[in-house]
Amino acid sequence: MGQKGTETRDRLLDATQESVEARGYFGTGLNQVIAAGGAPRGSLYFHFPGGKDQLVAESIRRAGQTIGDAMGGLADSTSSAAEFVDAVLRQLGDRLEGSDWHKGCPVATVALETAAGNDLLQEACAEVYSSWETALRAQLASRQDADDLAVTILAMIEGALLLARAHRSRRPLNSVARQIRVLLG
């Protein structure tokens, strides 16, 4: 694929991610994605022959990788698991607040809307969540309960993001950060 094709594909993925995060899977229309991505309809089906489900699945994986990469950078710049989780929560809070409370978790809305009935999207959501659990587990490697703690902390972060978005407040993120520090003692 040439540079123009790569740029078109990236614009479609960007437009999909923006729309899915703000409006969910069912609130995202292909015409809207095509218009926002500045691409002709044929480009969408050329790059994503599986249609909307393939486009959304790839968008979720890409957004998940972006957050995973950020977590990797934070892992390199923190000295403890508690510091790492604090930094992740701060960064996610900055992202959420900076988007006027539209960009919480790039996976959660799609997971809630489709995971029970759409295998392709369920697999994409599960892959992203698993990669984030792995990043958390790596920070907790010295603990016997690292597996359970990684899942627990991710669930706390996800819940805090949902509540922060609903309340348009960082308070849930700050509360969860404090409790995670206690949990990690």
Side-chain angles (χ1 to χ4, degrees), residues 125-150:
C125 293
E127 284 173 25
V128 171
Y129 282 136
S130 291
S131 73
W132 295 346
E133 285 174 31
T134 299
L136 287 165
R137 193 175 304 108
Q139 294 300 306
L140 302 162
S142 64
R143 297 181 60 126
Q144 275 190 314
D145 57 353
D147 289 341
D148 288 345
L149 269 176

Side-chain angles (χ1 to χ4, degrees), residues 27 39 42 45 107 124 133 146 153 170 179:
Y45 292 104
V107 180
E133 285 174 31
I153 290 170
R170 289 179 88 125
Q179 290 307 307

Side-chain angles (χ1 to χ4, degrees), residues 57-76:
E58 289 190 34
S59 173
I60 287 169
R61 285 185 179 100
R62 187 171 178 241
Q65 181 65 51
T66 299
I67 289 177
D69 290 347
M71 290 171 78
L74 294 172
D76 293 339

Side-chain angles (χ1 to χ4, degrees), residues 42-65:
S43 292
L44 180 109
Y45 292 104
F46 173 77
H47 293 290
F48 305 98
K52 182 178 179 179
D53 287 353
Q54 180 186 1
L55 179 63
V56 171
E58 289 190 34
S59 173
I60 287 169
R61 285 185 179 100
R62 187 171 178 241
Q65 181 65 51

Side-chain angles (χ1 to χ4, degrees), residues 26-170:
F26 294 112
T28 296
L30 291 181
N31 289 335
Q32 170 189 26
V33 169
I34 290 166
R41 180 173 287 281
S43 292
L44 180 109
Y45 292 104
F46 173 77
H47 293 290
F48 305 98
K52 182 178 179 179
D53 287 353
Q54 180 186 1
L55 179 63
V56 171
E58 289 190 34
S59 173
I60 287 169
R61 285 185 179 100
R62 187 171 178 241
Q65 181 65 51
T66 299
I67 289 177
D69 290 347
M71 290 171 78
L74 294 172
D76 293 339
S77 65
T78 55
S79 60
S80 71
E83 261 185 54
F84 171 74
V85 175
D86 272 349
V88 168
L89 282 164
R90 260 193 320 280
Q91 192 167 77
L92 291 171
D94 291 347
R95 180 178 186 271
L96 179 58
E97 191 171 9
S99 70
D100 199 26
W101 308 102
H102 289 121
K103 289 185 176 184
C105 173
V107 180
T109 303
V110 173
L112 290 168
E113 289 179 327
T114 66
N118 184 316
D119 291 342
L120 180 66
L121 295 176
Q122 179 274 326
E123 287 171 14
C125 293
E127 284 173 25
V128 171
Y129 282 136
S130 291
S131 73
W132 295 346
E133 285 174 31
T134 299
L136 287 165
R137 193 175 304 108
Q139 294 300 306
L140 302 162
S142 64
R143 297 181 60 126
Q144 275 190 314
D145 57 353
D147 289 341
D148 288 345
L149 269 176
V151 172
T152 300
I153 290 170
L154 182 57
M156 291 172 78
I157 291 169
E158 287 293 308
L161 285 169
L162 177 63
L163 291 173
R165 189 172 179 185
H167 292 290
R168 295 184 183 169
S169 166
R170 289 179 88 125

Side-chain angles (χ1 to χ4, degrees), residues 1-11 38-40 43 46-47:
M1 179 183 332
Q3 182 177 349
K4 186 177 177 185
T6 300
E7 289 171 0
T8 299
R9 188 176 198 287
D10 287 345
R11 284 195 317 272
S43 292
F46 173 77
H47 293 290

